[in-house]
Amino acid sequence: MPALQEIQHTGMDPRVRIFRFGQEVDAYAITTQEHLVIFDTFATPELALEMMETVQADLAGRQLLVINSHADWDHFWGNSIFTASGAYPAPIIGHENMLTRIRDEAVALQTQQQSDVRFKNVQTISPNVTLSGGLKIHGGDLTLELIHTPGHTADHLCVWIPEIRVLIAADAIEKPIPEVGANDSLAQMRQSFSKLQQLNAQYVLPSHGGTHSPALLQQNIDYFQMLEEGVFQAIKHHPLPPDWLTRTDLPEILGLAFETCINPTGIPSDDSPFASDFYRNCHLKAIRATVATAQAQPSQNSVAQ
Ligand SMILES: [Zn+2]
């Protein structure tokens, strides 16, 4: 039985093929006149191989290219099949910041290999073509614009295909909410939202959440705006506890409980790594980052007008 499911969205250009592994993550195969572009390689080489076998026919007469959205395990641990000695050798393109992340986070693989046998064949393969700004891949009929969108992580890339107004957003946006990398990366995340909003995409494809609606981007923007206003009001009336940075009940203290802020529709079931505990933690991180941002820039709290 295949592990991957191919997803079709009504009306979306068939040159963008979407593959989904359960409730874990989506990856993409984009066929242009010149290239077959694989965007993300799932969490294991076996899953990446299954995707390649499915799109095999599209490879004839085309250069294979691989893009990694970022160095989170669920997006690039299938890379090994694309090395020179792998089944499908191809350039692997990623943001320069992936290189340091992969070096620094090797321990994550060991931990996951010990806890789950399905990761036994994973090797963390870095991209061998890196960019630090943007990059355009000219495929003849379609152009793939790689856009640096830090915030979730420092190495994050989205792909914009202007001819068909498709934005592959990876983890820059997410349903129900994206994960802010660190307290000091919230401003970058919100700048990345603005960058993506300017594209005016018709289809927006996050890697988690199973939607293609452009409304998700606005929902993510509104969520962080709501937190900014909520945090501002809360700390105007009550001083923060001195240990706010480590308090896990910070959302409740500020009157911004998970249940009141997040629409749970579509959150994966508990056997997924992205179940409600994951998003509960994302909400806590988002609130910590919002408070940290408000603390760092008290004079810029303009929401009380
Ligand atoms: Zn992810």
mmCIF file with all atom_site columns, all heavy atoms in Angstrom, residues 251-273:
data_model
loop_
_atom_site.group_PDB
_atom_site.id
_atom_site.type_symbol
_atom_site.label_atom_id
_atom_site.label_alt_id
_atom_site.label_comp_id
_atom_site.label_asym_id
_atom_site.label_entity_id
_atom_site.label_seq_id
_atom_site.pdbx_PDB_ins_code
_atom_site.Cartn_x
_atom_site.Cartn_y
_atom_site.Cartn_z
_atom_site.occupancy
_atom_site.B_iso_or_equiv
_atom_site.pdbx_formal_charge
_atom_site.auth_seq_id
_atom_site.auth_comp_id
_atom_site.auth_asym_id
_atom_site.auth_atom_id
_atom_site.pdbx_PDB_model_num
ATOM 1   N N   . PRO A 1 251 ? -0.189  31.965 28.533 1.00 0.00 ? 251 PRO A N   1
ATOM 2   C CA  . PRO A 1 251 ? -1.411  32.315 27.781 1.00 0.00 ? 251 PRO A CA  1
ATOM 3   C C   . PRO A 1 251 ? -2.595  32.613 28.716 1.00 0.00 ? 251 PRO A C   1
ATOM 4   O O   . PRO A 1 251 ? -3.322  33.597 28.514 1.00 0.00 ? 251 PRO A O   1
ATOM 5   C CB  . PRO A 1 251 ? -1.678  31.069 26.928 1.00 0.00 ? 251 PRO A CB  1
ATOM 6   C CG  . PRO A 1 251 ? -0.319  30.441 26.762 1.00 0.00 ? 251 PRO A CG  1
ATOM 7   C CD  . PRO A 1 251 ? 0.398   30.705 28.049 1.00 0.00 ? 251 PRO A CD  1
ATOM 8   N N   . GLU A 1 252 ? -2.783  31.769 29.741 1.00 0.00 ? 252 GLU A N   1
ATOM 9   C CA  . GLU A 1 252 ? -3.914  31.959 30.660 1.00 0.00 ? 252 GLU A CA  1
ATOM 10  C C   . GLU A 1 252 ? -3.723  33.235 31.480 1.00 0.00 ? 252 GLU A C   1
ATOM 11  O O   . GLU A 1 252 ? -4.664  33.995 31.697 1.00 0.00 ? 252 GLU A O   1
ATOM 12  C CB  . GLU A 1 252 ? -4.060  30.747 31.596 1.00 0.00 ? 252 GLU A CB  1
ATOM 13  C CG  . GLU A 1 252 ? -4.586  29.486 30.921 1.00 0.00 ? 252 GLU A CG  1
ATOM 14  C CD  . GLU A 1 252 ? -3.555  28.765 30.057 1.00 0.00 ? 252 GLU A CD  1
ATOM 15  O OE1 . GLU A 1 252 ? -2.333  29.003 30.215 1.00 0.00 ? 252 GLU A OE1 1
ATOM 16  O OE2 . GLU A 1 252 ? -3.969  27.969 29.190 1.00 0.00 ? 252 GLU A OE2 1
ATOM 17  N N   . ILE A 1 253 ? -2.487  33.484 31.931 1.00 0.00 ? 253 ILE A N   1
ATOM 18  C CA  . ILE A 1 253 ? -2.200  34.684 32.725 1.00 0.00 ? 253 ILE A CA  1
ATOM 19  C C   . ILE A 1 253 ? -2.610  35.947 31.951 1.00 0.00 ? 253 ILE A C   1
ATOM 20  O O   . ILE A 1 253 ? -3.138  36.899 32.512 1.00 0.00 ? 253 ILE A O   1
ATOM 21  C CB  . ILE A 1 253 ? -0.688  34.757 33.080 1.00 0.00 ? 253 ILE A CB  1
ATOM 22  C CG1 . ILE A 1 253 ? -0.317  33.652 34.064 1.00 0.00 ? 253 ILE A CG1 1
ATOM 23  C CG2 . ILE A 1 253 ? -0.309  36.124 33.654 1.00 0.00 ? 253 ILE A CG2 1
ATOM 24  C CD1 . ILE A 1 253 ? 1.181   33.554 34.331 1.00 0.00 ? 253 ILE A CD1 1
ATOM 25  N N   . LEU A 1 254 ? -2.385  35.896 30.640 1.00 0.00 ? 254 LEU A N   1
ATOM 26  C CA  . LEU A 1 254 ? -2.661  37.076 29.817 1.00 0.00 ? 254 LEU A CA  1
ATOM 27  C C   . LEU A 1 254 ? -4.079  37.077 29.234 1.00 0.00 ? 254 LEU A C   1
ATOM 28  O O   . LEU A 1 254 ? -4.438  37.958 28.461 1.00 0.00 ? 254 LEU A O   1
ATOM 29  C CB  . LEU A 1 254 ? -1.641  37.159 28.669 1.00 0.00 ? 254 LEU A CB  1
ATOM 30  C CG  . LEU A 1 254 ? -0.182  37.325 29.104 1.00 0.00 ? 254 LEU A CG  1
ATOM 31  C CD1 . LEU A 1 254 ? 0.756   37.201 27.913 1.00 0.00 ? 254 LEU A CD1 1
ATOM 32  C CD2 . LEU A 1 254 ? 0.019   38.671 29.783 1.00 0.00 ? 254 LEU A CD2 1
ATOM 33  N N   . GLY A 1 255 ? -4.870  36.063 29.608 1.00 0.00 ? 255 GLY A N   1
ATOM 34  C CA  . GLY A 1 255 ? -6.230  35.982 29.069 1.00 0.00 ? 255 GLY A CA  1
ATOM 35  C C   . GLY A 1 255 ? -6.260  35.554 27.609 1.00 0.00 ? 255 GLY A C   1
ATOM 36  O O   . GLY A 1 255 ? -7.185  35.902 26.872 1.00 0.00 ? 255 GLY A O   1
ATOM 37  N N   . LEU A 1 256 ? -5.225  34.802 27.197 1.00 0.00 ? 256 LEU A N   1
ATOM 38  C CA  . LEU A 1 256 ? -5.122  34.387 25.792 1.00 0.00 ? 256 LEU A CA  1
ATOM 39  C C   . LEU A 1 256 ? -4.974  32.865 25.699 1.00 0.00 ? 256 LEU A C   1
ATOM 40  O O   . LEU A 1 256 ? -4.070  32.344 25.042 1.00 0.00 ? 256 LEU A O   1
ATOM 41  C CB  . LEU A 1 256 ? -3.919  35.073 25.123 1.00 0.00 ? 256 LEU A CB  1
ATOM 42  C CG  . LEU A 1 256 ? -3.983  36.602 25.013 1.00 0.00 ? 256 LEU A CG  1
ATOM 43  C CD1 . LEU A 1 256 ? -2.611  37.195 24.700 1.00 0.00 ? 256 LEU A CD1 1
ATOM 44  C CD2 . LEU A 1 256 ? -4.992  37.022 23.950 1.00 0.00 ? 256 LEU A CD2 1
ATOM 45  N N   . ALA A 1 257 ? -5.877  32.154 26.376 1.00 0.00 ? 257 ALA A N   1
ATOM 46  C CA  . ALA A 1 257 ? -5.790  30.690 26.404 1.00 0.00 ? 257 ALA A CA  1
ATOM 47  C C   . ALA A 1 257 ? -5.905  30.109 24.998 1.00 0.00 ? 257 ALA A C   1
ATOM 48  O O   . ALA A 1 257 ? -6.581  30.666 24.131 1.00 0.00 ? 257 ALA A O   1
ATOM 49  C CB  . ALA A 1 257 ? -6.893  30.121 27.288 1.00 0.00 ? 257 ALA A CB  1
ATOM 50  N N   . PHE A 1 258 ? -5.247  28.989 24.805 1.00 0.00 ? 258 PHE A N   1
ATOM 51  C CA  . PHE A 1 258 ? -5.263  28.275 23.516 1.00 0.00 ? 258 PHE A CA  1
ATOM 52  C C   . PHE A 1 258 ? -6.700  28.093 23.011 1.00 0.00 ? 258 PHE A C   1
ATOM 53  O O   . PHE A 1 258 ? -6.996  28.382 21.859 1.00 0.00 ? 258 PHE A O   1
ATOM 54  C CB  . PHE A 1 258 ? -4.577  26.912 23.722 1.00 0.00 ? 258 PHE A CB  1
ATOM 55  C CG  . PHE A 1 258 ? -4.521  26.039 22.492 1.00 0.00 ? 258 PHE A CG  1
ATOM 56  C CD1 . PHE A 1 258 ? -3.577  26.279 21.511 1.00 0.00 ? 258 PHE A CD1 1
ATOM 57  C CD2 . PHE A 1 258 ? -5.397  24.966 22.338 1.00 0.00 ? 258 PHE A CD2 1
ATOM 58  C CE1 . PHE A 1 258 ? -3.507  25.464 20.371 1.00 0.00 ? 258 PHE A CE1 1
ATOM 59  C CE2 . PHE A 1 258 ? -5.337  24.149 21.222 1.00 0.00 ? 258 PHE A CE2 1
ATOM 60  C CZ  . PHE A 1 258 ? -4.390  24.397 20.234 1.00 0.00 ? 258 PHE A CZ  1
ATOM 61  N N   . GLU A 1 259 ? -7.578  27.644 23.910 1.00 0.00 ? 259 GLU A N   1
ATOM 62  C CA  . GLU A 1 259 ? -8.954  27.317 23.502 1.00 0.00 ? 259 GLU A CA  1
ATOM 63  C C   . GLU A 1 259 ? -9.702  28.538 22.998 1.00 0.00 ? 259 GLU A C   1
ATOM 64  O O   . GLU A 1 259 ? -10.582 28.423 22.142 1.00 0.00 ? 259 GLU A O   1
ATOM 65  C CB  . GLU A 1 259 ? -9.743  26.715 24.680 1.00 0.00 ? 259 GLU A CB  1
ATOM 66  C CG  . GLU A 1 259 ? -9.337  25.304 25.067 1.00 0.00 ? 259 GLU A CG  1
ATOM 67  C CD  . GLU A 1 259 ? -7.986  25.223 25.793 1.00 0.00 ? 259 GLU A CD  1
ATOM 68  O OE1 . GLU A 1 259 ? -7.485  26.288 26.245 1.00 0.00 ? 259 GLU A OE1 1
ATOM 69  O OE2 . GLU A 1 259 ? -7.439  24.118 25.887 1.00 0.00 ? 259 GLU A OE2 1
ATOM 70  N N   . THR A 1 260 ? -9.379  29.699 23.515 1.00 0.00 ? 260 THR A N   1
ATOM 71  C CA  . THR A 1 260 ? -10.120 30.891 23.088 1.00 0.00 ? 260 THR A CA  1
ATOM 72  C C   . THR A 1 260 ? -9.495  31.546 21.856 1.00 0.00 ? 260 THR A C   1
ATOM 73  O O   . THR A 1 260 ? -10.140 32.337 21.186 1.00 0.00 ? 260 THR A O   1
ATOM 74  C CB  . THR A 1 260 ? -10.203 31.935 24.230 1.00 0.00 ? 260 THR A CB  1
ATOM 75  O OG1 . THR A 1 260 ? -8.872  32.237 24.654 1.00 0.00 ? 260 THR A OG1 1
ATOM 76  C CG2 . THR A 1 260 ? -11.003 31.435 25.400 1.00 0.00 ? 260 THR A CG2 1
ATOM 77  N N   . CYS A 1 261 ? -8.242  31.222 21.571 1.00 0.00 ? 261 CYS A N   1
ATOM 78  C CA  . CYS A 1 261 ? -7.547  31.890 20.454 1.00 0.00 ? 261 CYS A CA  1
ATOM 79  C C   . CYS A 1 261 ? -7.481  31.053 19.189 1.00 0.00 ? 261 CYS A C   1
ATOM 80  O O   . CYS A 1 261 ? -7.293  31.595 18.103 1.00 0.00 ? 261 CYS A O   1
ATOM 81  C CB  . CYS A 1 261 ? -6.116  32.235 20.851 1.00 0.00 ? 261 CYS A CB  1
ATOM 82  S SG  . CYS A 1 261 ? -5.992  33.445 22.174 1.00 0.00 ? 261 CYS A SG  1
ATOM 83  N N   . ILE A 1 262 ? -7.575  29.731 19.320 1.00 0.00 ? 262 ILE A N   1
ATOM 84  C CA  . ILE A 1 262 ? -7.289  28.850 18.176 1.00 0.00 ? 262 ILE A CA  1
ATOM 85  C C   . ILE A 1 262 ? -8.534  28.074 17.770 1.00 0.00 ? 262 ILE A C   1
ATOM 86  O O   . ILE A 1 262 ? -9.175  27.437 18.601 1.00 0.00 ? 262 ILE A O   1
ATOM 87  C CB  . ILE A 1 262 ? -6.179  27.823 18.545 1.00 0.00 ? 262 ILE A CB  1
ATOM 88  C CG1 . ILE A 1 262 ? -4.929  28.527 19.080 1.00 0.00 ? 262 ILE A CG1 1
ATOM 89  C CG2 . ILE A 1 262 ? -5.846  26.911 17.362 1.00 0.00 ? 262 ILE A CG2 1
ATOM 90  C CD1 . ILE A 1 262 ? -4.151  29.309 18.073 1.00 0.00 ? 262 ILE A CD1 1
ATOM 91  N N   . ASN A 1 263 ? -8.827  28.099 16.477 1.00 0.00 ? 263 ASN A N   1
ATOM 92  C CA  . ASN A 1 263 ? -9.877  27.250 15.927 1.00 0.00 ? 263 ASN A CA  1
ATOM 93  C C   . ASN A 1 263 ? -9.275  25.854 15.718 1.00 0.00 ? 263 ASN A C   1
ATOM 94  O O   . ASN A 1 263 ? -8.357  25.698 14.912 1.00 0.00 ? 263 ASN A O   1
ATOM 95  C CB  . ASN A 1 263 ? -10.361 27.850 14.603 1.00 0.00 ? 263 ASN A CB  1
ATOM 96  C CG  . ASN A 1 263 ? -11.422 26.995 13.946 1.00 0.00 ? 263 ASN A CG  1
ATOM 97  O OD1 . ASN A 1 263 ? -11.684 25.869 14.366 1.00 0.00 ? 263 ASN A OD1 1
ATOM 98  N ND2 . ASN A 1 263 ? -12.031 27.535 12.905 1.00 0.00 ? 263 ASN A ND2 1
ATOM 99  N N   . PRO A 1 264 ? -9.796  24.849 16.437 1.00 0.00 ? 264 PRO A N   1
ATOM 100 C CA  . PRO A 1 264 ? -9.152  23.524 16.376 1.00 0.00 ? 264 PRO A CA  1
ATOM 101 C C   . PRO A 1 264 ? -9.469  22.729 15.114 1.00 0.00 ? 264 PRO A C   1
ATOM 102 O O   . PRO A 1 264 ? -8.920  21.641 14.915 1.00 0.00 ? 264 PRO A O   1
ATOM 103 C CB  . PRO A 1 264 ? -9.733  22.819 17.605 1.00 0.00 ? 264 PRO A CB  1
ATOM 104 C CG  . PRO A 1 264 ? -11.070 23.448 17.804 1.00 0.00 ? 264 PRO A CG  1
ATOM 105 C CD  . PRO A 1 264 ? -10.970 24.875 17.314 1.00 0.00 ? 264 PRO A CD  1
ATOM 106 N N   . THR A 1 265 ? -10.304 23.264 14.227 1.00 0.00 ? 265 THR A N   1
ATOM 107 C CA  . THR A 1 265 ? -10.697 22.513 13.027 1.00 0.00 ? 265 THR A CA  1
ATOM 108 C C   . THR A 1 265 ? -9.463  22.111 12.225 1.00 0.00 ? 265 THR A C   1
ATOM 109 O O   . THR A 1 265 ? -8.636  22.951 11.898 1.00 0.00 ? 265 THR A O   1
ATOM 110 C CB  . THR A 1 265 ? -11.598 23.384 12.116 1.00 0.00 ? 265 THR A CB  1
ATOM 111 O OG1 . THR A 1 265 ? -12.559 24.010 12.935 1.00 0.00 ? 265 THR A OG1 1
ATOM 112 C CG2 . THR A 1 265 ? -12.258 22.569 11.041 1.00 0.00 ? 265 THR A CG2 1
ATOM 113 N N   . GLY A 1 266 ? -9.389  20.818 11.940 1.00 0.00 ? 266 GLY A N   1
ATOM 114 C CA  . GLY A 1 266 ? -8.304  20.345 11.081 1.00 0.00 ? 266 GLY A CA  1
ATOM 115 C C   . GLY A 1 266 ? -7.007  20.038 11.800 1.00 0.00 ? 266 GLY A C   1
ATOM 116 O O   . GLY A 1 266 ? -6.041  19.600 11.167 1.00 0.00 ? 266 GLY A O   1
ATOM 117 N N   . ILE A 1 267 ? -6.921  20.258 13.103 1.00 0.00 ? 267 ILE A N   1
ATOM 118 C CA  . ILE A 1 267 ? -5.703  19.868 13.817 1.00 0.00 ? 267 ILE A CA  1
ATOM 119 C C   . ILE A 1 267 ? -5.596  18.338 13.784 1.00 0.00 ? 267 ILE A C   1
ATOM 120 O O   . ILE A 1 267 ? -6.566  17.645 14.085 1.00 0.00 ? 267 ILE A O   1
ATOM 121 C CB  . ILE A 1 267 ? -5.704  20.386 15.279 1.00 0.00 ? 267 ILE A CB  1
ATOM 122 C CG1 . ILE A 1 267 ? -5.597  21.919 15.277 1.00 0.00 ? 267 ILE A CG1 1
ATOM 123 C CG2 . ILE A 1 267 ? -4.551  19.774 16.082 1.00 0.00 ? 267 ILE A CG2 1
ATOM 124 C CD1 . ILE A 1 267 ? -5.546  22.537 16.671 1.00 0.00 ? 267 ILE A CD1 1
ATOM 125 N N   . PRO A 1 268 ? -4.437  17.797 13.387 1.00 0.00 ? 268 PRO A N   1
ATOM 126 C CA  . PRO A 1 268 ? -4.317  16.344 13.277 1.00 0.00 ? 268 PRO A CA  1
ATOM 127 C C   . PRO A 1 268 ? -4.582  15.611 14.598 1.00 0.00 ? 268 PRO A C   1
ATOM 128 O O   . PRO A 1 268 ? -4.462  16.198 15.677 1.00 0.00 ? 268 PRO A O   1
ATOM 129 C CB  . PRO A 1 268 ? -2.859  16.149 12.832 1.00 0.00 ? 268 PRO A CB  1
ATOM 130 C CG  . PRO A 1 268 ? -2.478  17.418 12.166 1.00 0.00 ? 268 PRO A CG  1
ATOM 131 C CD  . PRO A 1 268 ? -3.231  18.490 12.902 1.00 0.00 ? 268 PRO A CD  1
ATOM 132 N N   . SER A 1 269 ? -4.925  14.330 14.469 1.00 0.00 ? 269 SER A N   1
ATOM 133 C CA  . SER A 1 269 ? -5.203  13.518 15.656 1.00 0.00 ? 269 SER A CA  1
ATOM 134 C C   . SER A 1 269 ? -3.905  13.232 16.410 1.00 0.00 ? 269 SER A C   1
ATOM 135 O O   . SER A 1 269 ? -2.802  13.498 15.930 1.00 0.00 ? 269 SER A O   1
ATOM 136 C CB  . SER A 1 269 ? -5.878  12.219 15.230 1.00 0.00 ? 269 SER A CB  1
ATOM 137 O OG  . SER A 1 269 ? -5.090  11.590 14.247 1.00 0.00 ? 269 SER A OG  1
ATOM 138 N N   . ASP A 1 270 ? -4.073  12.654 17.605 1.00 0.00 ? 270 ASP A N   1
ATOM 139 C CA  . ASP A 1 270 ? -2.949  12.558 18.541 1.00 0.00 ? 270 ASP A CA  1
ATOM 140 C C   . ASP A 1 270 ? -1.802  11.673 18.061 1.00 0.00 ? 270 ASP A C   1
ATOM 141 O O   . ASP A 1 270 ? -0.706  11.742 18.603 1.00 0.00 ? 270 ASP A O   1
ATOM 142 C CB  . ASP A 1 270 ? -3.448  12.065 19.906 1.00 0.00 ? 270 ASP A CB  1
ATOM 143 C CG  . ASP A 1 270 ? -4.213  13.176 20.617 1.00 0.00 ? 270 ASP A CG  1
ATOM 144 O OD1 . ASP A 1 270 ? -4.137  14.337 20.163 1.00 0.00 ? 270 ASP A OD1 1
ATOM 145 O OD2 . ASP A 1 270 ? -4.902  12.875 21.612 1.00 0.00 ? 270 ASP A OD2 1
ATOM 146 N N   . ASP A 1 271 ? -2.028  10.820 17.041 1.00 0.00 ? 271 ASP A N   1
ATOM 147 C CA  . ASP A 1 271 ? -0.918  9.988  16.573 1.00 0.00 ? 271 ASP A CA  1
ATOM 148 C C   . ASP A 1 271 ? -0.015  10.726 15.586 1.00 0.00 ? 271 ASP A C   1
ATOM 149 O O   . ASP A 1 271 ? 0.988   10.190 15.124 1.00 0.00 ? 271 ASP A O   1
ATOM 150 C CB  . ASP A 1 271 ? -1.441  8.669  15.968 1.00 0.00 ? 271 ASP A CB  1
ATOM 151 C CG  . ASP A 1 271 ? -2.467  8.910  14.871 1.00 0.00 ? 271 ASP A CG  1
ATOM 152 O OD1 . ASP A 1 271 ? -2.901  10.077 14.700 1.00 0.00 ? 271 ASP A OD1 1
ATOM 153 O OD2 . ASP A 1 271 ? -2.833  7.945  14.187 1.00 0.00 ? 271 ASP A OD2 1
ATOM 154 N N   . SER A 1 272 ? -0.347  11.964 15.260 1.00 0.00 ? 272 SER A N   1
ATOM 155 C CA  . SER A 1 272 ? 0.509   12.768 14.383 1.00 0.00 ? 272 SER A CA  1
ATOM 156 C C   . SER A 1 272 ? 1.504   13.554 15.238 1.00 0.00 ? 272 SER A C   1
ATOM 157 O O   . SER A 1 272 ? 1.187   13.958 16.356 1.00 0.00 ? 272 SER A O   1
ATOM 158 C CB  . SER A 1 272 ? -0.359  13.757 13.589 1.00 0.00 ? 272 SER A CB  1
ATOM 159 O OG  . SER A 1 272 ? 0.444   14.779 13.038 1.00 0.00 ? 272 SER A OG  1
ATOM 160 N N   . PRO A 1 273 ? 2.734   13.776 14.692 1.00 0.00 ? 273 PRO A N   1
ATOM 161 C CA  . PRO A 1 273 ? 3.661   14.652 15.438 1.00 0.00 ? 273 PRO A CA  1
ATOM 162 C C   . PRO A 1 273 ? 3.140   16.090 15.510 1.00 0.00 ? 273 PRO A C   1
ATOM 163 O O   . PRO A 1 273 ? 3.655   16.901 16.276 1.00 0.00 ? 273 PRO A O   1
ATOM 164 C CB  . PRO A 1 273 ? 4.965   14.581 14.637 1.00 0.00 ? 273 PRO A CB  1
ATOM 165 C CG  . PRO A 1 273 ? 4.620   13.980 13.324 1.00 0.00 ? 273 PRO A CG  1
ATOM 166 C CD  . PRO A 1 273 ? 3.325   13.240 13.468 1.00 0.00 ? 273 PRO A CD  1
#
